[in-house]
Amino acid sequence: MTWVILTGRQNDLDQVATPHKIITNRDYLAHPALFRGQRPKVINLSNNYGYQSRGYYASLLAGSRGHKVIPTVETMIDLSERKLYDHALPELELALNKCRKDLGGVFPQKVCIFFGIGPSRIWDRFAKLLFDWFRAPALEVNITDSAEWASIRKIGFHPLARMTEEEEKRFLQCLETYTNREWRDTKGRTPSRYTFATLVDPHEELPPSEISSLRYWAKIAEKMGVEIEPITKKDLAKLANYDALFIRETTSISNHTYRFARRAQQEGMPVIDDPLSMIRCTNKVYLNELMTYNKVPVPPTVMIAGTSDLEVAAQTLGFPLVLKIPDSSFSRGVKKCATFEELKTLATEWLEDSDLLIAQKFIPTEFDWRVGVLGGQPLFAVHYLMAKKHWQIVNHKANGKPDQGGIKTFTLKEAPAHVVETAVKAAQCIGDGLYGVDLKETKDGVFVIEVNDNPNLDHGWEDSGEKDEVWVRLTQWFLERLDRPGR
């Protein structure tokens, strides 16, 4: 078994302190061929796990390389704001106050938990529960203690750079204990009854499904014994009243859609989109590495970590080329650059918000294939036509509403087999949910442009080829997971 430890700086951890391989997150990001053919377990000890930081990308891309990692980006996002982990506090505080009772005397204002291990055996129950919720190497829990009850004020990461000498000594002992025991998965949770919640925003400009389409689905689902009920972002507290969740808002890991997906997952509910699919699909850097690793054809691509990489992109891809922000949707954050000056100006601006960008070869086509994939099987196939006098399917104009291209529908049998097969292979790299795979068909072959976790699905559009079978299979996907033994 190979353990790899990532640090933010070379001197953060002495190599003699552990028998495991220690490298910086920068080196790990820059050398995707490292550990090729191996499946190492990665412990990410970066000092910064902020969204789109190097620490964030190290965990994100570990997944694309087939490496198991803690903390995952899910954990990083969960601990970025208190409201994202509020749902875990009641259970954690019960365990904390049992510990408080056993300790007696004055309760500490903070405690550090390393790999699910507390400072003494009295902390065992709380420490293990905390690690079940948030699998991170080092966590700091800030506590407010009153006469009757100890409450958790904040849970956060405790980086190596902030550890005292005594804390680092205990951390290394816990590291040794952890790497000598089996990797465990978090516990599941189970739902109670058969009603599906559909998360919608009635005011969204470009929703993935129109309300009329969801009403159409509800009629089909009703014949299968399923009730479909719309909910909005105000309904998080009552999510546990449902059996399954279908998210029909444009997803983002920085807004309530991610919190709904995480809460559904914690409740043991089948959910589309699941949190991991959101994380994977919303980041184009991850998608490119994942597709490349799994030998799925993608356009020639250059990763840009700084302006020094721009010359390589220009020489490798030529002009025009396409520059992409990792986290974007509906063609936003995707720009065509015709010259090196345009590339440098745009990249300099975007690198202020993201440590990484990607540049891809420009492949002009009159349409993109969109193949819907559900549970690892093709669901529908359509052409998305380019917006009028534009090179993308959506033209986000400076003024007015976005201009969308048209759609041409096909049955799955009519769609080229190699297009459908490539789409299915790409989606299977992401997960088992619902995905929309965008592909370009050229004389040089088929290339996957993007895998969407939140694809458009509207009656009279995407379902035109396969008709009601699309909605029947969607309903059945949830039912199969609800009916599995042991639930």
Side-chain angles (χ1 to χ4, degrees), residues 196 216-224 226 228 244 246 270 272 371-381 410-413 420 424 427-428 431-435 457 462-463 465-484:
F196 297 177
Y216 187 83
W217 176 41
K219 293 177 182 178
I220 294 173
E222 185 179 11
K223 297 174 184 176
M224 301 173 70
V226 173
I228 306 298
F246 188 31
I272 296 175
V371 178
V373 180
L374 176 65
Q377 298 296 322
L379 185 67
F380 63 81
F410 299 81
T411 66
L412 289 170
K413 289 182 179 179
V420 175
V424 169
Q428 288 175 339
D432 188 45
L434 172 64
Y435 309 102
L457 186 55
E462 285 79 12
D463 69 356
E466 302 302 310
K467 308 301 181 185
D468 288 354
E469 181 66 14
V470 169
W471 305 103
V472 170
R473 284 184 52 198
L474 175 64
T475 311
Q476 194 62 40
W477 184 93
F478 288 105
L479 290 175
E480 286 171 358
R481 283 147 186 80
L482 288 167
D483 291 337
R484 283 174 179 169

Short mmCIF file of all heavy atoms in Angstrom, two decimals, residues 196 216-224 226 228 244 246 270 272 371-381 410-413 420 424 427-428 431-435 457 462-463 465-484:
data_model
loop_
_atom_site.label_atom_id
_atom_site.label_comp_id
_atom_site.label_asym_id
_atom_site.label_seq_id
_atom_site.Cartn_x
_atom_site.Cartn_y
_atom_site.Cartn_z
N PHE A 196 -41.24 12.11 -4.10
CA PHE A 196 -40.03 12.72 -4.63
C PHE A 196 -40.12 14.24 -4.57
O PHE A 196 -41.10 14.83 -5.04
CB PHE A 196 -39.79 12.32 -6.09
CG PHE A 196 -39.57 10.86 -6.34
CD1 PHE A 196 -39.42 10.39 -7.63
CD2 PHE A 196 -39.52 9.95 -5.29
CE1 PHE A 196 -39.21 9.04 -7.88
CE2 PHE A 196 -39.32 8.60 -5.51
CZ PHE A 196 -39.17 8.13 -6.82
N TYR A 216 -45.49 17.37 -16.42
CA TYR A 216 -45.67 16.23 -17.31
C TYR A 216 -45.06 14.98 -16.69
O TYR A 216 -45.68 13.90 -16.72
CB TYR A 216 -45.01 16.54 -18.66
CG TYR A 216 -45.28 15.48 -19.71
CD1 TYR A 216 -46.46 15.50 -20.46
CD2 TYR A 216 -44.36 14.47 -19.95
CE1 TYR A 216 -46.71 14.53 -21.42
CE2 TYR A 216 -44.60 13.50 -20.91
CZ TYR A 216 -45.79 13.53 -21.64
OH TYR A 216 -46.04 12.56 -22.58
N TRP A 217 -43.88 15.12 -16.12
CA TRP A 217 -43.24 13.98 -15.44
C TRP A 217 -44.12 13.49 -14.28
O TRP A 217 -44.26 12.28 -14.06
CB TRP A 217 -41.86 14.39 -14.94
CG TRP A 217 -41.16 13.32 -14.14
CD1 TRP A 217 -41.13 11.98 -14.40
CD2 TRP A 217 -40.41 13.51 -12.93
NE1 TRP A 217 -40.39 11.32 -13.45
CE2 TRP A 217 -39.93 12.24 -12.53
CE3 TRP A 217 -40.07 14.62 -12.16
CZ2 TRP A 217 -39.15 12.06 -11.39
CZ3 TRP A 217 -39.28 14.44 -11.04
CH2 TRP A 217 -38.83 13.18 -10.65
N ALA A 218 -44.70 14.44 -13.54
CA ALA A 218 -45.52 14.06 -12.38
C ALA A 218 -46.69 13.16 -12.79
O ALA A 218 -47.05 12.23 -12.05
CB ALA A 218 -46.03 15.32 -11.68
N LYS A 219 -47.27 13.43 -13.97
CA LYS A 219 -48.38 12.59 -14.44
C LYS A 219 -47.92 11.16 -14.72
O LYS A 219 -48.63 10.19 -14.41
CB LYS A 219 -49.00 13.20 -15.70
CG LYS A 219 -49.71 14.52 -15.46
CD LYS A 219 -50.23 15.10 -16.77
CE LYS A 219 -50.89 16.47 -16.56
NZ LYS A 219 -51.36 17.06 -17.84
N ILE A 220 -46.75 11.02 -15.31
CA ILE A 220 -46.22 9.68 -15.59
C ILE A 220 -45.82 8.99 -14.29
O ILE A 220 -46.11 7.80 -14.09
CB ILE A 220 -45.02 9.80 -16.55
CG1 ILE A 220 -45.50 10.30 -17.91
CG2 ILE A 220 -44.30 8.47 -16.69
CD1 ILE A 220 -44.39 10.61 -18.88
N ALA A 221 -45.17 9.72 -13.40
CA ALA A 221 -44.73 9.13 -12.13
C ALA A 221 -45.92 8.69 -11.27
O ALA A 221 -45.85 7.69 -10.57
CB ALA A 221 -43.87 10.14 -11.36
N GLU A 222 -47.01 9.44 -11.37
CA GLU A 222 -48.21 9.09 -10.59
C GLU A 222 -48.71 7.70 -10.97
O GLU A 222 -49.16 6.93 -10.10
CB GLU A 222 -49.29 10.14 -10.83
CG GLU A 222 -50.54 9.93 -9.97
CD GLU A 222 -51.60 10.99 -10.20
OE1 GLU A 222 -51.45 11.77 -11.17
OE2 GLU A 222 -52.57 11.04 -9.43
N LYS A 223 -48.64 7.36 -12.24
CA LYS A 223 -49.07 6.03 -12.69
C LYS A 223 -48.15 4.93 -12.15
O LYS A 223 -48.54 3.75 -12.13
CB LYS A 223 -49.08 5.98 -14.21
CG LYS A 223 -50.08 6.95 -14.85
CD LYS A 223 -49.94 6.95 -16.37
CE LYS A 223 -50.86 8.00 -17.00
NZ LYS A 223 -50.67 8.07 -18.48
N MET A 224 -46.95 5.31 -11.71
CA MET A 224 -45.98 4.36 -11.17
C MET A 224 -45.99 4.39 -9.64
O MET A 224 -45.10 3.83 -8.99
CB MET A 224 -44.59 4.68 -11.70
CG MET A 224 -44.49 4.62 -13.23
SD MET A 224 -42.91 5.19 -13.88
CE MET A 224 -41.81 3.87 -13.33
N VAL A 226 -45.84 7.13 -7.64
CA VAL A 226 -44.91 8.12 -7.08
C VAL A 226 -45.54 9.51 -7.15
O VAL A 226 -46.08 9.90 -8.18
CB VAL A 226 -43.57 8.12 -7.85
CG1 VAL A 226 -42.69 9.27 -7.39
CG2 VAL A 226 -42.86 6.79 -7.68
N ILE A 228 -44.83 13.53 -7.10
CA ILE A 228 -43.79 14.52 -7.34
C ILE A 228 -44.23 15.84 -6.72
O ILE A 228 -45.32 16.34 -7.02
CB ILE A 228 -43.53 14.73 -8.84
CG1 ILE A 228 -43.22 13.39 -9.53
CG2 ILE A 228 -42.40 15.73 -9.06
CD1 ILE A 228 -41.99 12.70 -9.04
N ALA A 244 -36.79 10.98 -2.11
CA ALA A 244 -35.78 11.21 -3.13
C ALA A 244 -35.78 12.68 -3.53
O ALA A 244 -36.76 13.40 -3.28
CB ALA A 244 -36.04 10.33 -4.35
N PHE A 246 -34.75 15.37 -6.80
CA PHE A 246 -34.34 15.65 -8.17
C PHE A 246 -34.12 17.16 -8.25
O PHE A 246 -35.06 17.94 -8.11
CB PHE A 246 -35.41 15.20 -9.15
CG PHE A 246 -35.02 15.27 -10.60
CD1 PHE A 246 -33.71 15.10 -11.01
CD2 PHE A 246 -35.99 15.51 -11.57
CE1 PHE A 246 -33.36 15.15 -12.35
CE2 PHE A 246 -35.66 15.57 -12.91
CZ PHE A 246 -34.34 15.39 -13.31
N PRO A 270 -31.89 8.78 -2.48
CA PRO A 270 -31.38 8.87 -3.86
C PRO A 270 -31.52 10.31 -4.34
O PRO A 270 -32.55 10.94 -4.14
CB PRO A 270 -32.29 7.95 -4.65
CG PRO A 270 -32.93 7.05 -3.65
CD PRO A 270 -33.04 7.84 -2.39
N ILE A 272 -30.42 13.20 -7.55
CA ILE A 272 -29.84 13.71 -8.80
C ILE A 272 -29.99 15.23 -8.75
O ILE A 272 -31.09 15.73 -8.65
CB ILE A 272 -30.58 13.17 -10.04
CG1 ILE A 272 -30.42 11.63 -10.17
CG2 ILE A 272 -30.07 13.84 -11.31
CD1 ILE A 272 -31.23 11.04 -11.32
N VAL A 371 -25.79 13.92 -25.53
CA VAL A 371 -26.31 12.59 -25.23
C VAL A 371 -26.59 12.53 -23.74
O VAL A 371 -25.70 12.75 -22.91
CB VAL A 371 -25.31 11.48 -25.64
CG1 VAL A 371 -25.86 10.11 -25.27
CG2 VAL A 371 -25.02 11.55 -27.14
N GLY A 372 -27.85 12.27 -23.39
CA GLY A 372 -28.21 12.07 -21.99
C GLY A 372 -27.89 10.65 -21.58
O GLY A 372 -28.17 9.69 -22.31
N VAL A 373 -27.29 10.52 -20.40
CA VAL A 373 -26.93 9.20 -19.88
C VAL A 373 -27.48 9.09 -18.46
O VAL A 373 -27.25 9.98 -17.63
CB VAL A 373 -25.40 8.99 -19.87
CG1 VAL A 373 -25.05 7.60 -19.33
CG2 VAL A 373 -24.83 9.17 -21.27
N LEU A 374 -28.20 8.02 -18.18
CA LEU A 374 -28.80 7.80 -16.86
C LEU A 374 -28.42 6.41 -16.37
O LEU A 374 -28.67 5.42 -17.05
CB LEU A 374 -30.32 7.93 -16.93
CG LEU A 374 -31.09 7.65 -15.65
CD1 LEU A 374 -30.75 8.66 -14.56
CD2 LEU A 374 -32.59 7.63 -15.91
N GLY A 375 -27.82 6.36 -15.18
CA GLY A 375 -27.45 5.06 -14.62
C GLY A 375 -26.51 4.27 -15.52
O GLY A 375 -26.57 3.04 -15.56
N GLY A 376 -25.66 4.96 -16.27
CA GLY A 376 -24.70 4.29 -17.13
C GLY A 376 -25.24 3.83 -18.46
O GLY A 376 -24.54 3.12 -19.20
N GLN A 377 -26.49 4.23 -18.81
CA GLN A 377 -27.10 3.84 -20.08
C GLN A 377 -27.61 5.08 -20.82
O GLN A 377 -28.06 6.03 -20.19
CB GLN A 377 -28.27 2.87 -19.84
CG GLN A 377 -27.87 1.57 -19.16
CD GLN A 377 -26.94 0.74 -20.01
OE1 GLN A 377 -27.08 0.67 -21.23
NE2 GLN A 377 -25.96 0.09 -19.37
N PRO A 378 -27.55 5.08 -22.17
CA PRO A 378 -28.02 6.25 -22.92
C PRO A 378 -29.51 6.48 -22.71
O PRO A 378 -30.30 5.54 -22.66
CB PRO A 378 -27.70 5.90 -24.37
CG PRO A 378 -27.60 4.40 -24.40
CD PRO A 378 -27.06 4.01 -23.06
N LEU A 379 -29.90 7.75 -22.60
CA LEU A 379 -31.29 8.12 -22.34
C LEU A 379 -31.90 8.88 -23.51
O LEU A 379 -33.06 8.66 -23.86
CB LEU A 379 -31.36 8.99 -21.07
CG LEU A 379 -32.73 9.38 -20.56
CD1 LEU A 379 -33.50 8.14 -20.07
CD2 LEU A 379 -32.63 10.41 -19.44
N PHE A 380 -31.15 9.80 -24.11
CA PHE A 380 -31.64 10.55 -25.27
C PHE A 380 -30.43 11.07 -26.05
O PHE A 380 -29.30 11.08 -25.55
CB PHE A 380 -32.55 11.70 -24.86
CG PHE A 380 -31.89 12.77 -24.02
CD1 PHE A 380 -31.11 13.77 -24.61
CD2 PHE A 380 -32.04 12.79 -22.64
CE1 PHE A 380 -30.50 14.75 -23.86
CE2 PHE A 380 -31.42 13.77 -21.87
CZ PHE A 380 -30.65 14.75 -22.48
N ALA A 381 -30.71 11.52 -27.28
CA ALA A 381 -29.66 12.12 -28.11
C ALA A 381 -30.26 13.24 -28.94
O ALA A 381 -31.32 13.07 -29.55
CB ALA A 381 -29.03 11.07 -29.03
N PHE A 410 -33.30 13.12 -32.19
CA PHE A 410 -33.06 11.82 -32.78
C PHE A 410 -33.52 10.74 -31.81
O PHE A 410 -33.56 10.96 -30.60
CB PHE A 410 -31.55 11.59 -33.04
CG PHE A 410 -30.92 12.57 -33.98
CD1 PHE A 410 -30.53 13.82 -33.53
CD2 PHE A 410 -30.74 12.26 -35.31
CE1 PHE A 410 -29.94 14.73 -34.39
CE2 PHE A 410 -30.14 13.16 -36.19
CZ PHE A 410 -29.75 14.40 -35.72
N THR A 411 -33.83 9.57 -32.33
CA THR A 411 -33.94 8.41 -31.47
C THR A 411 -32.52 7.91 -31.20
O THR A 411 -31.58 8.24 -31.93
CB THR A 411 -34.76 7.28 -32.12
OG1 THR A 411 -34.05 6.79 -33.27
CG2 THR A 411 -36.14 7.76 -32.53
N LEU A 412 -32.36 7.11 -30.16
CA LEU A 412 -31.03 6.59 -29.86
C LEU A 412 -30.52 5.70 -30.99
O LEU A 412 -29.31 5.65 -31.26
CB LEU A 412 -31.05 5.82 -28.53
CG LEU A 412 -31.21 6.69 -27.28
CD1 LEU A 412 -31.46 5.83 -26.05
CD2 LEU A 412 -29.97 7.56 -27.07
N LYS A 413 -31.43 5.01 -31.67
CA LYS A 413 -31.02 4.16 -32.78
C LYS A 413 -30.53 4.98 -33.97
O LYS A 413 -29.67 4.54 -34.73
CB LYS A 413 -32.18 3.26 -33.21
CG LYS A 413 -32.52 2.16 -32.21
CD LYS A 413 -33.65 1.29 -32.72
CE LYS A 413 -33.97 0.18 -31.71
NZ LYS A 413 -35.09 -0.68 -32.19
N VAL A 420 -22.68 7.81 -29.24
CA VAL A 420 -23.38 7.35 -28.03
C VAL A 420 -22.42 6.58 -27.12
O VAL A 420 -22.40 6.78 -25.90
CB VAL A 420 -24.60 6.49 -28.41
CG1 VAL A 420 -25.25 5.91 -27.15
CG2 VAL A 420 -25.61 7.32 -29.19
N VAL A 424 -21.42 7.55 -23.25
CA VAL A 424 -21.66 6.65 -22.12
C VAL A 424 -20.35 6.41 -21.35
O VAL A 424 -20.34 6.43 -20.12
CB VAL A 424 -22.25 5.31 -22.61
CG1 VAL A 424 -22.24 4.27 -21.49
CG2 VAL A 424 -23.67 5.53 -23.12
N ALA A 427 -19.65 9.50 -19.25
CA ALA A 427 -20.56 9.63 -18.09
C ALA A 427 -20.22 8.61 -17.02
O ALA A 427 -20.31 8.91 -15.81
CB ALA A 427 -22.00 9.47 -18.55
N GLN A 428 -19.84 7.41 -17.41
CA GLN A 428 -19.52 6.38 -16.43
C GLN A 428 -18.29 6.73 -15.60
O GLN A 428 -18.12 6.23 -14.50
CB GLN A 428 -19.34 5.04 -17.14
CG GLN A 428 -20.65 4.44 -17.64
CD GLN A 428 -20.45 3.16 -18.43
OE1 GLN A 428 -19.36 2.89 -18.96
NE2 GLN A 428 -21.51 2.37 -18.56
N GLY A 431 -20.10 8.97 -12.62
CA GLY A 431 -20.91 8.32 -11.60
C GLY A 431 -22.08 7.57 -12.22
O GLY A 431 -22.06 7.20 -13.40
N ASP A 432 -23.12 7.39 -11.42
CA ASP A 432 -24.26 6.55 -11.80
C ASP A 432 -25.54 7.35 -11.96
O ASP A 432 -26.62 6.79 -12.04
CB ASP A 432 -24.45 5.47 -10.72
CG ASP A 432 -25.46 4.42 -11.12
OD1 ASP A 432 -25.41 3.96 -12.28
OD2 ASP A 432 -26.33 4.09 -10.28
N GLY A 433 -25.45 8.69 -12.00
CA GLY A 433 -26.64 9.53 -12.03
C GLY A 433 -27.06 9.91 -13.44
O GLY A 433 -26.92 9.14 -14.39
N LEU A 434 -27.58 11.13 -13.56
CA LEU A 434 -28.04 11.67 -14.84
C LEU A 434 -27.04 12.71 -15.33
O LEU A 434 -26.71 13.65 -14.61
CB LEU A 434 -29.41 12.34 -14.67
CG LEU A 434 -29.96 13.11 -15.88
CD1 LEU A 434 -30.22 12.18 -17.06
CD2 LEU A 434 -31.23 13.86 -15.50
N TYR A 435 -26.55 12.52 -16.56
CA TYR A 435 -25.54 13.42 -17.11
C TYR A 435 -25.88 13.77 -18.55
O TYR A 435 -26.50 12.98 -19.28
CB TYR A 435 -24.14 12.77 -17.07
CG TYR A 435 -23.81 12.22 -15.71
CD1 TYR A 435 -23.88 10.86 -15.44
CD2 TYR A 435 -23.45 13.08 -14.67
CE1 TYR A 435 -23.61 10.36 -14.18
CE2 TYR A 435 -23.17 12.60 -13.41
CZ TYR A 435 -23.25 11.23 -13.16
OH TYR A 435 -23.00 10.75 -11.91
N LEU A 457 -33.65 18.83 -19.50
CA LEU A 457 -34.58 17.73 -19.77
C LEU A 457 -35.98 18.32 -19.81
O LEU A 457 -36.59 18.59 -18.78
CB LEU A 457 -34.47 16.66 -18.68
CG LEU A 457 -35.27 15.38 -18.90
CD1 LEU A 457 -34.92 14.74 -20.23
CD2 LEU A 457 -35.02 14.39 -17.78
N GLU A 462 -35.80 17.32 -25.31
CA GLU A 462 -34.89 16.18 -25.14
C GLU A 462 -35.62 14.84 -25.17
O GLU A 462 -35.01 13.81 -25.50
CB GLU A 462 -34.11 16.32 -23.82
CG GLU A 462 -32.98 17.34 -23.86
CD GLU A 462 -33.45 18.77 -23.72
OE1 GLU A 462 -34.64 18.98 -23.36
OE2 GLU A 462 -32.65 19.69 -23.96
N ASP A 463 -36.91 14.82 -24.84
CA ASP A 463 -37.63 13.54 -24.83
C ASP A 463 -38.29 13.22 -26.18
O ASP A 463 -39.00 12.22 -26.30
CB ASP A 463 -38.67 13.51 -23.71
CG ASP A 463 -39.85 14.46 -23.95
OD1 ASP A 463 -39.82 15.21 -24.96
OD2 ASP A 463 -40.79 14.45 -23.14
N GLY A 465 -37.22 12.08 -29.01
CA GLY A 465 -36.83 10.84 -29.66
C GLY A 465 -37.36 9.60 -28.98
O GLY A 465 -37.97 8.73 -29.60
N GLU A 466 -37.17 9.52 -27.66
CA GLU A 466 -37.54 8.32 -26.90
C GLU A 466 -38.91 8.46 -26.22
O GLU A 466 -39.36 7.52 -25.55
CB GLU A 466 -36.47 8.01 -25.85
CG GLU A 466 -35.08 7.79 -26.44
CD GLU A 466 -35.04 6.66 -27.45
OE1 GLU A 466 -35.54 5.56 -27.12
OE2 GLU A 466 -34.54 6.88 -28.58
N LYS A 467 -39.54 9.62 -26.35
CA LYS A 467 -40.89 9.87 -25.82
C LYS A 467 -40.96 9.63 -24.30
O LYS A 467 -40.02 9.94 -23.59
CB LYS A 467 -41.90 9.00 -26.56
CG LYS A 467 -41.85 9.11 -28.08
CD LYS A 467 -42.09 10.51 -28.57
CE LYS A 467 -42.06 10.58 -30.10
NZ LYS A 467 -42.18 11.97 -30.61
N ASP A 468 -42.08 9.07 -23.84
CA ASP A 468 -42.31 8.93 -22.39
C ASP A 468 -41.32 7.98 -21.72
O ASP A 468 -41.20 7.98 -20.49
CB ASP A 468 -43.73 8.43 -22.13
CG ASP A 468 -44.77 9.50 -22.40
OD1 ASP A 468 -44.37 10.65 -22.69
OD2 ASP A 468 -45.97 9.19 -22.34
N GLU A 469 -40.61 7.17 -22.51
CA GLU A 469 -39.64 6.25 -21.94
C GLU A 469 -38.57 7.00 -21.14
O GLU A 469 -38.05 6.49 -20.15
CB GLU A 469 -38.98 5.43 -23.05
CG GLU A 469 -37.96 4.40 -22.57
CD GLU A 469 -38.58 3.28 -21.75
OE1 GLU A 469 -39.82 3.13 -21.77
OE2 GLU A 469 -37.80 2.55 -21.10
N VAL A 470 -38.28 8.23 -21.54
CA VAL A 470 -37.31 9.05 -20.81
C VAL A 470 -37.77 9.26 -19.36
O VAL A 470 -37.01 9.08 -18.40
CB VAL A 470 -37.12 10.41 -21.51
CG1 VAL A 470 -36.32 11.38 -20.64
CG2 VAL A 470 -36.42 10.21 -22.86
N TRP A 471 -39.03 9.63 -19.19
CA TRP A 471 -39.57 9.94 -17.86
C TRP A 471 -39.82 8.66 -17.05
O TRP A 471 -39.64 8.67 -15.83
CB TRP A 471 -40.85 10.75 -17.99
CG TRP A 471 -40.65 11.99 -18.81
CD1 TRP A 471 -41.01 12.19 -20.10
CD2 TRP A 471 -39.98 13.19 -18.39
NE1 TRP A 471 -40.64 13.45 -20.52
CE2 TRP A 471 -40.00 14.08 -19.49
CE3 TRP A 471 -39.38 13.60 -17.20
CZ2 TRP A 471 -39.44 15.35 -19.44
CZ3 TRP A 471 -38.82 14.87 -17.14
CH2 TRP A 471 -38.86 15.73 -18.24
N VAL A 472 -40.20 7.60 -17.72
CA VAL A 472 -40.38 6.32 -17.03
C VAL A 472 -39.05 5.84 -16.46
O VAL A 472 -38.97 5.41 -15.31
CB VAL A 472 -40.96 5.26 -18.00
CG1 VAL A 472 -40.92 3.87 -17.37
CG2 VAL A 472 -42.40 5.63 -18.38
N ARG A 473 -38.01 5.92 -17.27
CA ARG A 473 -36.70 5.46 -16.80
C ARG A 473 -36.15 6.35 -15.70
O ARG A 473 -35.47 5.87 -14.78
CB ARG A 473 -35.72 5.41 -17.98
CG ARG A 473 -35.95 4.21 -18.90
CD ARG A 473 -34.91 4.14 -19.99
NE ARG A 473 -33.56 4.21 -19.44
CZ ARG A 473 -32.47 4.50 -20.15
NH1 ARG A 473 -32.59 4.79 -21.44
NH2 ARG A 473 -31.29 4.54 -19.57
N LEU A 474 -36.44 7.65 -15.77
CA LEU A 474 -36.01 8.55 -14.70
C LEU A 474 -36.66 8.14 -13.38
O LEU A 474 -36.00 8.04 -12.34
CB LEU A 474 -36.38 9.99 -15.05
CG LEU A 474 -36.12 11.05 -13.98
CD1 LEU A 474 -34.64 11.17 -13.69
CD2 LEU A 474 -36.70 12.40 -14.40
N THR A 475 -37.97 7.90 -13.41
CA THR A 475 -38.68 7.48 -12.21
C THR A 475 -38.15 6.15 -11.71
O THR A 475 -37.94 5.95 -10.50
CB THR A 475 -40.19 7.36 -12.50
OG1 THR A 475 -40.65 8.53 -13.16
CG2 THR A 475 -40.99 7.15 -11.22
N GLN A 476 -37.93 5.23 -12.64
CA GLN A 476 -37.46 3.90 -12.26
C GLN A 476 -36.08 3.95 -11.61
O GLN A 476 -35.77 3.16 -10.72
CB GLN A 476 -37.43 2.98 -13.50
CG GLN A 476 -37.27 1.50 -13.18
CD GLN A 476 -38.44 0.97 -12.35
OE1 GLN A 476 -39.58 1.32 -12.58
NE2 GLN A 476 -38.12 0.13 -11.37
N TRP A 477 -35.24 4.88 -12.05
CA TRP A 477 -33.89 5.02 -11.46
C TRP A 477 -34.01 5.24 -9.95
O TRP A 477 -33.29 4.63 -9.16
CB TRP A 477 -33.17 6.20 -12.12
CG TRP A 477 -31.74 6.38 -11.67
CD1 TRP A 477 -30.62 5.86 -12.25
CD2 TRP A 477 -31.29 7.14 -10.53
NE1 TRP A 477 -29.50 6.24 -11.55
CE2 TRP A 477 -29.89 7.03 -10.49
CE3 TRP A 477 -31.93 7.90 -9.55
CZ2 TRP A 477 -29.11 7.65 -9.51
CZ3 TRP A 477 -31.17 8.51 -8.57
CH2 TRP A 477 -29.78 8.39 -8.55
N PHE A 478 -34.91 6.15 -9.56
CA PHE A 478 -35.10 6.40 -8.13
C PHE A 478 -35.70 5.18 -7.44
O PHE A 478 -35.27 4.79 -6.34
CB PHE A 478 -36.01 7.62 -7.93
CG PHE A 478 -35.37 8.93 -8.27
CD1 PHE A 478 -35.69 9.61 -9.44
CD2 PHE A 478 -34.45 9.52 -7.42
CE1 PHE A 478 -35.12 10.82 -9.76
CE2 PHE A 478 -33.87 10.74 -7.72
CZ PHE A 478 -34.20 11.40 -8.90
N LEU A 479 -36.73 4.57 -8.06
CA LEU A 479 -37.41 3.45 -7.42
C LEU A 479 -36.48 2.27 -7.19
O LEU A 479 -36.57 1.59 -6.17
CB LEU A 479 -38.61 3.01 -8.29
CG LEU A 479 -39.78 3.99 -8.35
CD1 LEU A 479 -40.83 3.50 -9.32
CD2 LEU A 479 -40.39 4.19 -6.96
N GLU A 480 -35.61 1.99 -8.14
CA GLU A 480 -34.68 0.89 -7.98
C GLU A 480 -33.80 1.08 -6.75
O GLU A 480 -33.50 0.12 -6.04
CB GLU A 480 -33.81 0.75 -9.22
CG GLU A 480 -34.54 0.17 -10.42
CD GLU A 480 -33.71 0.24 -11.70
OE1 GLU A 480 -32.56 0.78 -11.64
OE2 GLU A 480 -34.20 -0.22 -12.74
N ARG A 481 -33.41 2.30 -6.48
CA ARG A 481 -32.55 2.57 -5.32
C ARG A 481 -33.35 2.56 -4.02
O ARG A 481 -32.82 2.19 -2.97
CB ARG A 481 -31.82 3.89 -5.54
CG ARG A 481 -30.68 3.73 -6.52
CD ARG A 481 -30.41 4.95 -7.39
NE ARG A 481 -29.38 4.62 -8.38
CZ ARG A 481 -29.62 3.94 -9.51
NH1 ARG A 481 -30.85 3.55 -9.79
NH2 ARG A 481 -28.64 3.65 -10.33
N LEU A 482 -34.60 2.97 -4.10
CA LEU A 482 -35.44 2.92 -2.90
C LEU A 482 -35.84 1.49 -2.54
O LEU A 482 -36.05 1.19 -1.37
CB LEU A 482 -36.71 3.75 -3.14
CG LEU A 482 -36.50 5.27 -3.17
CD1 LEU A 482 -37.74 5.96 -3.72
CD2 LEU A 482 -36.19 5.79 -1.77
N ASP A 483 -35.92 0.63 -3.52
CA ASP A 483 -36.40 -0.75 -3.30
C ASP A 483 -35.28 -1.74 -3.01
O ASP A 483 -35.53 -2.93 -2.85
CB ASP A 483 -37.18 -1.24 -4.53
CG ASP A 483 -38.49 -0.51 -4.69
OD1 ASP A 483 -39.00 0.02 -3.68
OD2 ASP A 483 -39.01 -0.45 -5.83
N ARG A 484 -34.05 -1.26 -2.97
CA ARG A 484 -32.95 -2.19 -2.70
C ARG A 484 -33.06 -2.79 -1.32
O ARG A 484 -33.45 -2.10 -0.36
CB ARG A 484 -31.60 -1.46 -2.85
CG ARG A 484 -31.22 -1.26 -4.31
CD ARG A 484 -29.96 -0.43 -4.43
NE ARG A 484 -29.59 -0.27 -5.83
CZ ARG A 484 -28.66 0.57 -6.27
NH1 ARG A 484 -28.00 1.33 -5.40
NH2 ARG A 484 -28.38 0.65 -7.55
#
